Amino acid sequence: MTMLTVILSCILSFASAQQIQIKEDMNDKELTTIEVRKKHSVGHDLTYKIEEGKDEIEGDAAPLLQNARKNWKQSCNDWKKEFRENNVGNKIISTNCGKMKCETVAMETVCRSETTYKVRVKLTSDSATE
């Protein structure tokens, strides 16, 4: 019985989840599976989900193409900044303002694009099954 106690204390020293089979009392017919998991203080395992999305940004209209491109670039920077501020709890994997497309209407040029993003969202094991 003391051999089993020594083995169990060694197993509990591991930090990650592992499965180990131990023979009890030298009886080959009975095997016991012991699983050691590291829990968080909440008591739930954390899992992650990758969320992807798209949005559209548009710069202010300008009479010159060069100024319209600058306005689009400012809109892109503002979108990225706002995105970071709104996603404090989640880990941003990527943000992309996309390819700028400019068009002139009524003597003014407007540049716009489709943005994309990927975010890693923390979930508990309870909400992961939803």
Side-chain angles (χ1 to χ4, degrees), residues 35-94:
E35 186 173 340
V36 179
R37 289 187 181 203
K38 187 174 183 179
K39 294 282 187 174
H40 297 277
S41 61
V42 181
H44 299 288
D45 292 332
L46 291 179
T47 57
Y48 296 94
K49 175 182 163 185
I50 304 296
E51 289 188 3
E52 298 181 38
K54 295 181 180 182
D55 201 0
E56 188 173 302
I57 59 170
E58 176 178 294
D60 292 335
L64 298 174
L65 178 61
Q66 181 180 7
N67 291 341
R69 287 179 177 170
K70 286 180 184 178
N71 293 342
W72 174 85
K73 188 168 185 170
Q74 183 61 46
S75 293
C76 174
N77 291 335
D78 292 344
W79 174 77
K80 285 182 178 183
K81 182 180 177 185
E82 183 179 339
F83 192 82
R84 282 191 301 268
E85 290 171 356
N86 291 335
N87 289 287
V88 174
N90 300 324
K91 182 170 170 88
I92 298 172
I93 297 172
S94 68

